[in-house]
Amino acid sequence: MNPDASLMTALVERWRPETSTFHLPCGEVTITLEDVVTLSGLAIDGDAVVVDIPDEEWSAICLRLLGRVPYDLVGGVAVVRITWLRVEFSHLPDDASQEVIEQFARAYALSLIGGVLFPDRSGSTVHLQYLLLIEDWERAGGFAWGAVVLSYLYREMGRSTLHISHTGTSLAGDLGGWVALLQFWVWEAETWLQVVILEQPRLPTCGTA
């Protein structure tokens, strides 16, 4: 789903990193953990999402958990292209072994993580550190994914707001994080919230008069 650029711009311009809220003429509002679990179904309780620094080379990890290594994964590079994942793992063989099935499942999950849950501004690559989080499916199911999704979105909103205050230009069109979740939140909110965000005059951004 393509993000609504006008809506994202309006939200970024009203975001205050120091309180993690949108400052509107009617008061302060924000997307919460309750909103995340309601809209996405992701767990907000569970283990912290932490990745230990591996002893293996990233290429070895990629080969072990995905069964193949992209040609451009060299040296210290620890990212793969999401398009590579979608092309290489587009068709599961009919006679696939359990190991291959799990490798395809990890590739799909990795593309969702990098393309939906934790996309960077480009939305085209994903760090292999996430692959370590889905090595063990039972362990992966115990993580508080929803809480991390929200904190990552908060960070990206703050980064964009800081960019506006320093340059006067918006990064809303290149906002990282699960932007669609934020858009769903506005759509699910009362009609008055949508009107206030999109139709009220622009508020000053951080660091500006």
Side-chain angles (χ1 to χ4, degrees), residues 46-60:
D47 297 330
V49 180
V50 178
V51 180
D52 296 325
I53 299 176
D55 295 327
E56 291 180 90
E57 293 288 338
W58 288 111
S59 58

Side-chain angles (χ1 to χ4, degrees), residues 43 45-47 133-134 136-145:
D45 295 316
D47 297 330
L133 295 173
I134 53 178
D136 183 319
W137 293 114
E138 185 174 352
R139 179 170 177 260
F143 288 131
W145 291 103

Side-chain angles (χ1 to χ4, degrees), residues 35-80:
D35 295 319
V36 172
V37 72
T38 300
L39 293 171
S40 71
L42 293 174
I44 57 174
D45 295 316
D47 297 330
V49 180
V50 178
V51 180
D52 296 325
I53 299 176
D55 295 327
E56 291 180 90
E57 293 288 338
W58 288 111
S59 58
I61 293 173
C62 201
L63 181 62
R64 176 168 58 85
L65 298 180
L66 295 179
R68 61 197 75 180
V69 180
Y71 71 90
D72 54 354
L73 185 66
V74 294
V77 176
V79 298
V80 295

